[in-house]
Amino acid sequence: MSRLPKRNSPGITRRGFLIGMTAVGISFGFPRHLMAAMDPASPDGKVLPSEGELYEPSLWYSIDTAGKIKVNIMRSEMGQHVGTAIARILADELEADWDDVEIIHVDSDPRWGYMVTGGSWSISQSWPVYRQAGAAGRTALIEAAAKKWGITAKECEAKNGKIISSKGELSYGELVSLGLTRQFTEEELKTLPLKANEDLKLVGQQVTSLDVANKTNGKTIYGIDAKVDGMVYANPILPPTRYGSKVATFDDSAAKAVKGYQKTIVLDDASGSVPGWLMVIASSFIAAQKASKLVKVTWDAGETANVSEANIIDHGKKLLSDSSKGSILDTGNTKTEPVFEGASSSISHEYITSTVLHAQMEPVNALVFKNPDGVWEVHSGCQWQSLTLPVLATALGEDVANIVIRTYMLGGGFGRRLNGDYTIPAALTSKALGGKPVKMVLMRPQDMLFDSARSASVQQLKMAFDDKKSVTAMEHHATAGWPTQVLAPGFMPKGVNDEPYDPFAIAGADHWYSVGAQKVRAISNDLAMATFRPGWLRSVGPGWTGWAVESFMDEAAHHAGKDPVQFRLDMLIAEGRNAGTTPVAEGGAARQAVVLKKAAEMIGWGSEQPENTGLGIASTFGQERDMPTWVSCAVQVQVNKSNGLVDVKKLVVVIDAGIIVDPNGAEAQCQGAALWGLSMALYEGTELRDGQYKDTNFDTYTPLRLGQTPEVKIEFIASKMPPSGLGEPAVTAVAPAIANAIYQAVGVRLRKIPMKPSELKSALDKA
């Protein structure tokens, strides 16, 4: 059979084989299991058929007799081109022709293992797995060719989809036609020789992204596009509090006048995800929306109906004042008290961050039904399938084995879709209707009110100095609502005092500076936990712990009378635990020093600035100490003293993330992350009022606009170290760099984000 044309040709002939129904309809000629997967490069996301026999050297891919390679991707795609990045790791080790590679985003079948896309883990964790898988295929193909030619494997070479020797060449498809059956044990996989990093040809090079065409022309299928014959629409009516509210009465008599309206039900949710919710059911999306406005509901409101943001912050301060509370992280020597008692001087400051919403472009949605095989199908974009499935099982009263989450592209995740609570109301409604297909799409105000926001936080930092103004001890006390505590408590380790903590709500406080005795204490804000469901948001803990650490480092440098860059460099010593204890972290603080120096050089550190203009710098790592990505951000800002507006003129970010697998994707992710950091620093944030988020749409919730975007430069440090994460770390250093630059420009220190013009103007007036 004919091979596919190159990707720049106008069409792909095998696609004519498809008989299109809907995004989730049956495609004739396909095995049923292929309905569970998605090829983002094909029409309607349908998986293209394979030709002839298949050889599967590993769970992670197959090769057919046409030489086509389907790479199975268990990570979710939300704009980061994760499939292209992972596929090229495998294709490079396999010595495949990139034009023969297709990517398949798979469903939640247990054979794929633990499925989660978050923490900037995808590439770092996939690197060894897919390289071993590629090496297995290359080894098997070489062995098969050598056997056919009657020569040794050492006389054969894999190159660009072929095995070549003095006897000629055989394509991968031809070798598969011979009937390959070679399999590898886990032990054999680990011993297979891998290509030297310097011999990699696809990794680090520009290649065609396998999902970009359909994203560009509007053909990509997102969860919001899911369809199935006979489905009804359900629109939720949300209660006045996230927890504790109960429906007292409802009256749908007026809704019955809406054409297509069917009924309203009160959800009974054993999982506790959506207490107090009603679902308005209709034959169309518009009818469900119209009818919802006519249903009159009274609730018995939950206990947090009067809680405000100020209450959350004040409670956090009270918690921090009690030294017996919280978990103390293992940072080496945590006995800071005697050092502070003997210090020549010390400083202490408090930093606050506001509640932040995800506000992703695609509102959360789900289509759920029970299929003819008795399996519950959940059609929705999801970042953490393995976390969501048990919650669905509890809500439905079903075995996890009877539930499958089908794959869709995500129109923005940023951590919101790690928490799959939005699948629960659709599932419960379907169950109430006997398994009938139910589709739920939240409107923007509903999406924001139901968000798992990043909790407001309070952080108190202290530093001790000797008589030469060298640092001898540091403390970092932090409190916020903990997402992991409510959503995934099994991921919470214990501190040295045997108290559990949320690592995703304190990582970053355990920094790489050598400060002598060091104490990091993390406390869960129980009032925040009772009021709303905290969530993981892009950059998680380091997005706000880095704000405090790097603002404080600047303040400490000024206290010590030292240049802020040199002050940091003096403490970035790659010794002990700060030398790095994992392969990805090797080099530790020394690598952070490199990105710091480079960012200072790029911004022109030390150069004279115009009036009311200043340079600021900050250096962080993300996400965790065992998988750090070293980041430094330097900015130039200009402050308008008459109104407090801050204009960020230049923003440079320098990153050491080990080997950069996908240069285009890496730069795009880091640009987006840095601008997200800028958005949260100056513009983005909400607050709680009467137990609910104040902002419910973009008229009042105002992320960074295009006209506010500065000149952005991203630079990567060349490295041969294993890759770390890139989706989130560039967020973390931006806000403190801006705060530090504001101080340099006008001598005012802001310790709360977002840094609002009114607060800066007030501080300037006081100064």
Side-chain angles (χ1 to χ4, degrees), residues 398-447:
E398 278 279 0
D399 192 293
V400 170
N402 280 342
I403 307 171
V404 63
I405 299 176
R406 303 299 195 197
T407 293
Y408 285 81
M409 303 295 100
L410 280 61
F414 314 117
R416 173 60 184 100
R417 287 178 162 93
L418 287 165
N419 170 16
D421 55 359
Y422 51 90
T423 64
I424 303 302
L428 290 172
T429 307
S430 177
K431 182 181 179 181
L433 299 180
K436 187 179 183 68
V438 172
K439 183 168 184 177
M440 180 197 75
V441 178
L442 297 194
M443 298 296 283
R444 181 67 61 193
Q446 297 169 319
D447 179 87

Side-chain angles (χ1 to χ4, degrees), residues 56 96 98 118 150 196 249 378 428 448 507 521 540 569 583 663 670 734:
E56 296 180 291
W98 185 244
T249 64
V378 180
L428 290 172
M448 286 189 167
R521 182 169 63 116
V540 289
L569 291 173
C670 292
V734 178

Side-chain angles (χ1 to χ4, degrees), residues 26 90 169 183 196 245 370 412 433 452 499 544 566 604 609 619 739 753 756:
I26 295 174
L90 185 142
E169 61 182 42
Q183 295 296 310
S245 291
K370 197 170 189 176
L433 299 180
S452 293
E499 290 293 326
W544 49 274
Q566 191 59 51
Q609 298 297 307
S619 184
I753 54 174
K756 297 179 180 179

